[in-house]
Amino acid sequence: MRILMWHVHGSWTTAFVQGEHEYLLPVLPDRGPDGRGRAQTWDWPESAIEVTPEEAAEAEVDLVLLQRPEELDGLASEWLGGREPGRDVAAVYLEHNAPEGRIAEMRHPAADRAGVLLVHVTDFNDLFWDAGRTPTRVVEHGIVDPGYRYTGELPRAAVVVNEAGRRGRTTGTDLLPRLNGQVPIDLFGMGAAELGGIEDLPQDQLHDEMARRRVYLHPIRWTSLGLSLLEAMALGMPVVALATTGAVEAVPSSAGVLSTNVSLLRRAVQELVADPERARETGRAARAAVLERYSLERFLTDWDSVLEEAA
């Protein structure tokens, strides 16, 4: 298929464009949110093709993959030369995020939209979003295996959060001082330097740096299942995470410690850092678990089924 899709979530798109389709990525001169084009810090195949507004308007498109409300509410139609998603072009709305607000008000932007199939990345999201009459499916994440890289040579914890300062309590940024007991925490991600962390790195370099830390800490309160968590597990890192949203399904007890008790989590980080052999053994279990459930092959097969259904 020829799929028009915006570059919204780099790590997710890295997995998606590994499929056997042609991926048309809107690009604008400023490479802003509405036209980022190809990734600059990820390795994408040649089948991920940048298109200008003029090229997109003339292109043969089998399906549009929507990921933001503004795409659904006019942006996609504008780029498609007036063709309407769900009427003139098959449409799938991919929801990356958990809903925000009061439980009774968590209505999805694609709710009751004719001709649109809504796909969630976790069962948790499917449970909490109100989609009305819009049909929903769940396709869990898949990752490109970064390979076993764990050394754990640094008795420190790694955290990966993009825009940690802005996202605050949602990503558990406020918990880092409470979790930073005897073990130093290194924050990675876009905007991390503002909080004394390590600024955004190319993905391959980021994976190397993560794997040097002895434990991966996932302080996320309320987002979808973070791909950085799955990538850390694939690297062979033991995990300490909040037992919230999709993490409960992703991390078995053999792979680390999950809890909503901050004191218990702080102690778990300290104990894993103090016991390198236990940390290594736990990390191996984490890698085995993530490769079994979140393999790229399973992910692409599931998506092929959804794309065929929608088209």
Side-chain angles (χ1 to χ4, degrees):
M1 296 184 187
R2 301 189 86 202
I3 300 169
L4 178 71
M5 59 176 293
W6 273 261
H7 170 191
V8 174
H9 191 307
S11 290
W12 184 91
T13 309
T14 296
F16 187 68
V17 299
Q18 306 301 318
E20 298 180 351
H21 307 285
E22 195 169 74
Y23 309 90
L24 306 182
L25 301 162
V27 65
L28 293 171
D30 65 358
R31 291 190 178 271
D34 290 341
R36 288 195 177 105
R38 285 175 58 90
Q40 307 300 304
T41 57
W42 286 274
D43 185 18
W44 290 0
E46 294 182 0
S47 56
I49 303 165
E50 292 183 344
V51 291
T52 64
E54 296 76 20
E55 291 169 335
E58 298 295 328
E60 292 185 13
V61 176
D62 297 307
L63 182 142
V64 57
L65 184 69
L66 308 162
Q67 301 174 77
R68 299 173 296 165
E70 55 265 38
E71 296 170 19
L72 183 66
D73 294 331
L75 182 63
S77 179
E78 180 183 331
W79 276 74
L80 287 165
R83 288 171 286 178
E84 191 67 29
R87 186 188 67 193
D88 306 309
V89 181
V92 170
Y93 192 111
L94 170 64
E95 181 53 69
H96 291 283
N97 301 313
E100 296 183 9
R102 295 174 61 84
I103 189 70
E105 300 166 358
M106 293 177 173
R107 187 165 173 80
H108 196 274
D112 296 330
R113 295 283 187 129
V116 176
L117 180 63
L118 176 58
V119 178
H120 294 288
V121 297
T122 66
D123 287 302
F124 179 91
N125 288 3
D126 191 26
L127 176 69
F128 275 78
W129 276 112
D130 174 9
R133 294 186 301 273
T134 301
T136 68
R137 302 289 181 270
V138 175
V139 178
E140 291 189 330
H141 287 312
I143 60 171
V144 178
D145 182 8
Y148 183 81
R149 306 192 194 188
Y150 184 71
T151 67
E153 62 197 82
L154 300 178
R156 308 173 71 90
V159 176
V160 180
V161 176
N162 287 326
E163 300 182 84
R166 178 184 66 82
R167 296 166 75 191
R169 287 179 57 82
T170 299
T171 53
T173 307
D174 62 301
L175 296 176
L176 295 181
R178 295 173 61 188
L179 291 165
N180 191 353
Q182 301 172 8
V183 178
I185 296 173
D186 293 328
L187 175 65
F188 295 88
M190 291 184 290
E194 301 173 5
L195 300 177
I198 301 168
E199 195 55 76
D200 197 31
L201 300 172
Q203 190 181 41
D204 193 57
Q205 186 179 348
L206 171 63
H207 287 163
D208 282 340
E209 288 301 318
M210 289 167 61
R212 295 180 65 209
R213 275 71 185 172
R214 195 159 298 164
V215 64
Y216 185 78
L217 178 60
H218 192 65
I220 308 299
R221 273 196 182 92
W222 188 262
T223 72
S224 208
L225 179 60
L227 278 163
S228 58
L229 170 65
L230 303 182
E231 290 166 358
M233 293 170 69
L235 292 168
M237 300 185 72
V239 170
V240 174
L242 285 185
T244 57
T245 64
V248 177
E249 297 284 340
V251 183
S253 58
S254 60
V257 177
L258 277 78
S259 178
T260 55
N261 184 315
V262 176
S263 297
L264 189 153
L265 294 174
R266 182 172 62 246
R267 188 162 62 249
V269 170
Q270 294 171 354
E271 291 174 353
L272 281 166
V273 167
D275 190 342
E277 188 53 41
R278 178 191 166 199
R280 186 174 298 278
E281 180 181 342
T282 304
R284 289 197 183 103
R287 175 170 167 78
V290 81
L291 293 184
E292 179 179 357
R293 181 162 182 167
Y294 300 97
S295 73
L296 184 64
E297 180 181 8
R298 191 274 309 154
F299 171 77
L300 294 175
T301 298
D302 287 355
W303 263 107
D304 282 346
S305 297
V306 166
L307 296 172
E308 182 178 355
E309 176 186 355

